[in-house]
Structures are given as C-alpha cells and as structure tokens.
Amino acid sequence: RDIALQAQAYSLVIPGIQHIGFSDAVLYSPLLADPVNHHPAINEITLAFFNRFLKGDGDFPIHAWAEKYPALELQEPAP
C-alpha cells in the first residue's frame, strides 16, 4: 500500500474487515456475519470503479465515499 500511495494512488481501507467480509458469504451465515454491514459501500465503490476505469463511464468520487461511509479510512497519496 505504501508503494501505491507513493505512486499517487489512493487507498480506501475498511478497518477490521476480514477477507471473507468482501464475499457474499457473510450475508447467508450468521457465523460469518460482520457486526457492521459494509456491503453497500463495497458494492457501490466496486461498481463505480469498474464503470470508470474499465468502461470509461461515470465518476469516481473517492472523497465523497469517505464522507458517506465514515467507517472507511481514506489514505491519500504522499505529497
């Protein structure tokens, strides 16, 4: 992550989420449930990323998501 930030990339971090938290398995099993449902943020940001950077459509308002989803930590590129 530090190398990416040095290369003028941004990073959005969901503190405390485990790898399985990015799958839909947590939606179906109470044993895997995350106490905070991060799926709305994950879905919205992933879709916007694919639309913007793969399809060339839309916007990618990273600062707006950091405000909309306060559990996320936005890490900005090094100056």
Side-chain angles (χ1 to χ4, degrees):
R1 182 173 313 135
D2 292 333
I3 293 171
L5 292 171
Q6 290 172 3
Q8 301 304 305
Y10 287 82
S11 177
L12 276 173
V13 177
I14 303 173
I17 196 168
Q18 300 296 317
H19 181 77
I20 197 159
F22 288 93
S23 76
D24 61 356
V26 298
L27 301 174
Y28 301 106
S29 173
L31 298 176
L32 301 173
D34 188 354
V36 178
N37 182 4
H38 295 294
H39 277 85
I42 293 168
N43 291 343
E44 182 178 351
I45 295 167
T46 301
L47 180 62
F49 179 87
F50 289 149
N51 284 339
R52 176 70 182 107
F53 297 106
L54 296 181
K55 293 172 63 177
D57 294 336
D59 194 14
F60 196 73
I62 197 164
H63 290 95
W65 288 316
E67 291 178 22
K68 182 177 180 180
Y69 301 107
L72 300 180
E73 293 178 1
L74 174 61
Q75 299 176 348
E76 300 195 45

